[in-house]
Amino acid sequence: MTPARRSFGAIRRLPSKRYQAKYTGPDGMWHLAPETFTTKMDAEGWLSSERRLIEWDQWISPAQRAAMRKLDATQTLKVYAAEWLPQRVAVRQLKPKTESEYKRYLSRLILPTLGELRLKDISPATIRAWLTKLNPSAPRLNQNAYALLKEMLATAVEDELIDRNPCRERIKKPVRHIGEPATLEELARLVEAMPERLRLMIELAAWCALRFGEVAELRRGDIDLKEGVIRIRRAVQWIDGVKTVAAPKADSVRVVAFPPHIGQAIKEHLEKHAQWGKDGLLFPTTRGGQYRAPTFHSSHFRKAREAAGRPDLRFHDLRHTGATLAAASGATLAELMQRLGHSTVSAALVYQHATQGSDKRIAERLSEIAKESAGAGDPE
C-alpha cells in the first residue's frame, strides 16, 4: 500500500494490518520506526515525538538511540544509582536528611547484594531473593529500601533501559510504633527531675507536641505571649555530623497555641534562661549552640526519665503524649494534622477521636486537664 502523504513523515499499512512509520531526518536519510504499530494513531504519535526532537535540536537517529539503549542496559545498578541519585535530589529538591537516608539504604542494603548486577539481569526472582536476605527485625528500614529501589528502577523503565520494573512484590506496611505516652503524673515528675533551665523543653514537647529538633531550634522571636502561640518555623538536625537548620519535617511551618497553664513558665524561662535578642535560643547549651539529641539524652533526659519511673520513655514519646492529650480534648483530624505538622492523614489518625473544636479550645482544654489532675491529688 502506498504510504499516506503527510507534512512530516509517512505512514503505510502493511499486509499484516499493522502500521509502519518513517520520515526524513536532518541528515537527509529515511528513518524507520524501530517497531510497527497496532493503530495509525500510534504511528502518528511516534512521528510527532520525532518531529519535536528535531524542533528542539535534540534529535539523533532512532538506530543510534537503540544502540545507546543497548549499551546503557549493560551498566550495573551501582553505576546507574550513582547517576540517578544526584538527578533525583535536584529534580525533587530533596532535603539533606532524605538524601543521606537514600545513600544509607543504597550502601547498606541495596548495592552490597545487587550493585554489580546489570540492570537487564535484575528480575522479579532476583528481587524476591534479595528481600528474603534482609534483616526481618528492621521491617520499616527494609520497606524504605525497597521503595527506593522500586522508584529507581521505575526511572530505568522511563529511560528505556529495561522493559518492565522487576520490583513487583507487595510489601506489607509495618505497624507504626507509637511509644507509651507519659501520664500526667509521670510528666510532672519528669519536669521536676530536669535542670531548671531545661524544664520548659519537656513541657513544650509534651503539651505542644513538638519534635526534638523543633524545640532545640526555638528562638525568642518564635514565642508570642500576647497571642499565646508558638511559631514553628525551623528545626535543627545533624546530618552526617553537619548541623543543618531547615523548615520542619514535611515543610510544615505552623502556628501552635500553647496551653494557658504553661504560659507563666514560658514567661519566666524567657526572663531567666533564654538568650537575648529576637534570634536568641530558648534552650542554648553551655557553649551557646543548639542541643544535639544524643547529648541531651545522655546528659539530662536519661536521668530524669529514670527518676520519673519511666526508663523506657523516649523524648519523641512526649510528642505522642501531647498528641494523645490533644485528641482527648476533642481535636478533629484536621486540627491534629495542623497541630502536629503532619502532611498525611495516617499519622494523625493514630490519635484521632472524632469531635469538633479549634486549636485555641484544644489549648484551653489541655490546661483544664492539668488542673483537674492536680486537684485530684489534693486531700479532701
Side-chain angles (χ1 to χ4, degrees):
M1 181 178 291
T2 304
R5 284 187 169 274
R6 299 174 50 82
S7 60
F8 177 80
I11 298 173
R12 70 168 182 168
R13 194 177 189 189
L14 301 173
S16 64
K17 296 185 179 182
R18 294 181 66 83
Y19 291 86
Q20 184 183 66
K22 66 177 181 178
Y23 64 92
T24 302
D27 57 0
M29 304 288 290
W30 279 101
H31 295 280
L32 285 171
E35 59 184 353
T36 57
F37 303 95
T38 304
T39 67
K40 186 177 181 180
M41 185 179 295
D42 291 337
E44 289 173 343
W46 180 80
L47 286 174
S48 295
S49 65
E50 292 296 302
R51 182 168 59 182
R52 281 195 296 271
L53 291 175
I54 294 173
E55 291 172 351
W56 296 344
D57 198 26
Q58 296 177 352
W59 182 86
I60 59 174
S61 73
Q64 288 176 305
R65 271 177 266 161
M68 290 173 62
R69 285 196 298 270
K70 184 176 180 180
L71 178 62
D72 288 342
T74 64
Q75 68 179 305
T76 64
L77 180 65
K78 182 177 181 179
V79 171
Y80 186 70
E83 298 175 354
W84 180 87
L85 184 56
Q87 293 173 355
R88 187 52 48 110
V89 170
V91 172
R92 296 283 182 87
Q93 297 183 332
L94 300 180
K95 290 186 175 182
K97 183 178 180 181
T98 303
E99 180 183 2
S100 177
E101 289 175 345
Y102 281 8
K103 289 179 178 178
R104 181 161 59 98
Y105 301 150
L106 285 167
S107 63
R108 296 186 182 181
L109 300 179
I110 298 174
L111 297 182
T113 303
L114 305 175
E116 300 304 323
L117 295 177
R118 295 181 298 179
L119 292 177
K120 68 177 184 179
D121 292 336
I122 301 177
S123 66
T126 306
I127 300 300
R128 286 195 298 272
W130 168 70
L131 287 170
T132 62
K133 295 177 182 178
L134 297 179
N135 185 357
S137 65
R140 188 166 296 279
L141 190 65
N142 298 342
Q143 183 196 36
N144 292 341
Y146 178 74
L148 175 62
L149 178 61
K150 186 174 183 178
E151 183 180 2
M152 185 163 53
L153 292 177
T155 308
V157 174
E158 295 173 1
D159 292 341
E160 299 183 0
L161 300 179
I162 53 178
D163 295 328
R164 295 184 64 189
N165 193 330
C167 293
R168 302 172 198 170
E169 296 297 312
R170 293 188 177 183
I171 305 298
K172 184 177 180 181
K173 189 174 182 179
V175 177
R176 184 179 178 84
H177 174 70
I178 301 296
E180 183 66 25
T183 65
L184 294 181
E185 293 77 11
E186 291 168 345
L187 179 59
R189 291 197 297 267
L190 182 66
V191 171
E192 184 65 26
M194 291 291 292
E196 183 181 324
R197 62 189 177 86
L198 297 177
R199 288 175 180 175
L200 184 64
M201 201 170 187
I202 301 299
E203 293 189 276
L204 292 181
W207 291 106
C208 298
L210 304 186
R211 302 176 178 93
F212 180 86
E214 295 170 347
V215 178
E217 177 53 24
L218 282 176
R219 298 173 184 269
R220 278 183 177 269
D222 299 323
I223 308 298
D224 189 333
L225 291 173
K226 183 178 180 180
E227 295 296 326
V229 299
I230 303 172
R231 291 176 173 82
I232 312 301
R233 301 183 175 100
R234 303 162 310 280
V236 62
Q237 295 175 323
W238 275 261
I239 302 171
D240 299 328
V242 179
K243 183 174 73 174
T244 302
V245 176
K249 189 175 181 180
D251 294 322
S252 53
V253 178
R254 65 196 191 279
V255 178
V256 176
F258 58 78
H261 77 275
I262 67 170
Q264 184 61 31
I266 295 175
K267 184 178 179 180
E268 292 178 359
H269 182 91
L270 290 172
E271 293 173 351
K272 296 180 181 179
H273 305 297
Q275 293 175 336
W276 290 107
K278 181 180 178 181
D279 294 328
L281 289 168
L282 258 65
F283 307 103
T285 65
T286 54
R287 296 185 178 183
Q290 300 96 326
Y291 271 98
R292 296 184 64 169
T295 303
F296 177 83
H297 181 274
S298 61
S299 300
H300 306 291
F301 188 70
R302 182 165 55 191
K303 297 176 184 177
R305 70 181 187 179
E306 290 174 354
R310 281 297 305 275
D312 62 309
L313 192 70
R314 303 171 304 168
F315 190 90
H316 200 70
D317 294 333
L318 298 175
R319 174 171 161 83
H320 299 159
T321 298
T324 302
L325 290 171
S329 74
T332 66
L333 179 59
E335 290 165 351
L336 274 179
M337 290 180 64
Q338 188 280 329
R339 190 169 181 86
L340 299 176
H342 283 159
S343 58
T344 60
V345 173
S346 58
L349 274 174
V350 176
Y351 311 104
Q352 174 62 16
H353 294 265
T355 54
Q356 298 296 320
S358 66
D359 197 46
K360 278 285 187 180
R361 181 185 53 71
I362 294 169
E364 292 168 359
R365 178 56 184 150
L366 292 176
S367 280
E368 293 173 9
I369 292 174
K371 291 176 182 179
E372 291 168 2
S373 174
D378 294 336
E380 295 185 358

